[in-house]
């Protein structure tokens, strides 16, 4: 028998996005009882140095705190680890090296999903932090599949993204949603067919204002949750007798 | 300096109620940034033997699995532990003895809240599992404060509570809410001034159907979350410099 399935969630970035990810895990898991639901251990510790500021050279690295979380999740028995924060994937390689449990990458889950669509989009708009945009993971993953990426300009990020994102982090979710919807609409107006909401605060905020752009959007955190649920269902079907 | 604050949540009973508890922690914590939010580690493992069946003598005890969760939360560094499941408080003493971190009792949080109200109710209706009702914690805690408790009959539990509760556990939250609202209305009709929703599925379900009985209800899981947030805020104000 394989190591017992236990999803480790390296969360807290931010805590509301972590909850949303846990909700997506529930939605993605067909279950008739508590016992059939996906087991997880969630390190929801938001005292992590600001990822956006660290990547902009304006603050300390979050890596030591992220490594501490990875260590705790491994000690707790995690068989897989997911990180519901796009920007934190900047430290993915260092965290993977330190983890016995394999880490699932949010970009892999997203690219695979786009390729599985009946009609592959030609051009997607990417809503993400400056750090995620600069890292180029989504752009490279999508370019390899022949999908163009349209990015927000620095001005658009400053005007809409940054204040929208920090509004969510202080609990002003609808205010954040209104600002982020303006950015989404600008990218659609400039030719994006579909959008990737590649910062975990963004889908939470757009849902709070019931934004119509959601119909044209993909949520990488949701796609990551679906991949985790898929692994759990495979395990459950193979090994699990429910009590 | 005290041991660093880290709330351990012994969850998974059920997983949706655990999420709701985490949401209540966020609501109860005024914060301007991620870093000011309450840090937690959540053992959200629903593969725990059914608590209602165990107490009815119809299934195995969940105690070994609960003890395993308590051990993992202590290993992870929990400074306090909360259990967002009323029925699981049946094993509270045994779990407390096995835990270095103190456990916070959901009934203590509830009774203290009722005593702090401007007008103490005379008679409250108690919606809970047969196991929680038989244990008598709420009845004793409230009687000591001169508050009468009105309980559902066995027939009311079988007709509305049990199917409502298991509907939530399989994800049919609105269906559960409709059944549980009928029980709530019956208790109010029989003279309860206010209600205690002392099973963590119940408030989740009643909110899903936007039931008007919520205005007359107290949610012990929410009151437990508020107590946890209170401890965090005391700690944050004393020790914490946010990054």
């Amino acid at each position: 028998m394989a190591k017992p399935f236990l999803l480790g969630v390296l969360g807290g970035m931010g805590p509301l996005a972590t909850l949303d990810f846990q909700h997506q895990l529930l939605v993605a898991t067909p279950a008739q009882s508590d016992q059939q639901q996906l087991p997880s251990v969630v390190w929801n510790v938001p005292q992590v140095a600001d990822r956006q500021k660290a990547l902009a050279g304006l603050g300390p690295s979050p890596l030591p705190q992220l490594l501490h979380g990875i260590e705790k999740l491994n000690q707790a028995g995690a068989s897989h680890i997911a990180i519901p924060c796009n920007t934190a994937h900047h430290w993915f390689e260092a965290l993977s090296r330190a983890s016995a449990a394999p880490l699932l990458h949010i970009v892999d889950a997203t690219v695979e999903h786009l390729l599985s669509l009946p009609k592959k989009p030609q051009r997607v708009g990417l809503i993400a932090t400056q750090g995620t945009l600069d890292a180029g993971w989504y752009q490279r993953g999508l370019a390899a599949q022949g999908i163009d990426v349209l990015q927000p300009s620095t001005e658009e990020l400053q005007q809409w993204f940054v204040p929208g994102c920090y509004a969510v982090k202080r609990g002003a979710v609808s205010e954040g949603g209104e600002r982020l919807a303006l950015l989404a609409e600008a990218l659609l107006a400039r030719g994006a067919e579909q959008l990737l909401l590649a910062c975990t605060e963004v889908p939470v905020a757009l849902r709070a204002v019931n934004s119509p752009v959601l119909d044209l959007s993909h949520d990488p955190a949701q796609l990551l949750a679906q991949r985790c649920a898929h692994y759990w269902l495979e395990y459950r079907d193979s090994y699990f007798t429910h009590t």
Side-chain angles (χ1 to χ4, degrees), chain A residues 40-225:
Chain A
S40 63
V41 54
V42 183
W43 185 255
N44 195 358
V45 175
Q47 286 71 40
V48 179
D50 188 298
R51 285 71 59 198
Q52 296 189 49
K53 288 181 184 160
L55 291 178
L58 301 172
S61 168
L63 183 58
Q65 294 152 326
L66 296 175
L67 285 169
H68 180 67
I70 290 288
E71 185 188 345
K72 290 296 184 185
L73 292 173
N74 275 284
Q75 282 174 1
S79 60
H80 304 73
I81 293 178
I83 310 174
C85 171
N86 283 273
T87 309
H89 280 68
H90 187 82
W91 295 274
F92 186 88
E93 296 303 331
L95 298 175
S96 284
R97 280 193 298 274
S99 180
L103 271 62
L104 310 177
H105 201 296
I106 197 166
V107 175
D108 294 343
T110 304
V111 173
E112 279 182 22
H113 171 75
L114 290 179
L115 293 180
S116 75
L117 293 175
K119 188 172 176 302
K120 188 177 78 172
Q122 299 291 306
R123 199 173 200 211
V124 301
L126 179 60
I127 299 184
T129 62
Q130 190 70 59
T132 299
L133 294 173
D134 290 348
W137 311 304
Y138 281 102
Q139 297 93 319
R140 283 194 298 275
L142 293 169
Q145 306 298 337
I147 301 173
D148 284 342
V149 172
L150 187 68
Q151 296 186 200
S153 67
T154 306
E155 293 68 34
E156 287 171 332
L157 285 179
Q158 286 304 321
Q159 189 181 352
W160 293 318
F161 179 82
V162 175
C165 207
Y166 282 97
V168 178
K169 288 180 184 294
R170 68 168 192 272
V173 183
S174 294
E175 179 193 325
E178 284 164 20
R179 288 175 182 266
L180 291 162
L182 292 172
L183 174 56
E185 287 156 15
L187 290 172
L188 292 170
R190 275 167 46 208
E193 293 163 53
Q194 297 179 11
L195 299 174
L196 287 185
L197 311 180
C199 171
T200 45
E201 327 294 336
V202 177
V204 176
L206 292 177
R207 282 198 290 273
V209 296
N210 204 15
S211 170
V213 305
L214 287 167
D215 292 339
L216 296 169
S217 298
H218 304 278
D219 171 0
Q222 181 182 31
L223 301 172
L224 181 62

Side-chain angles (χ1 to χ4, degrees), chain A residues 10-27:
Chain A
L10 185 63
M13 303 174 282
L16 186 59
T18 301
L19 250 73
D20 188 63
F21 181 74
Q22 293 177 260
H23 184 71
Q24 300 293 353
L25 290 172
L26 275 175
V27 170

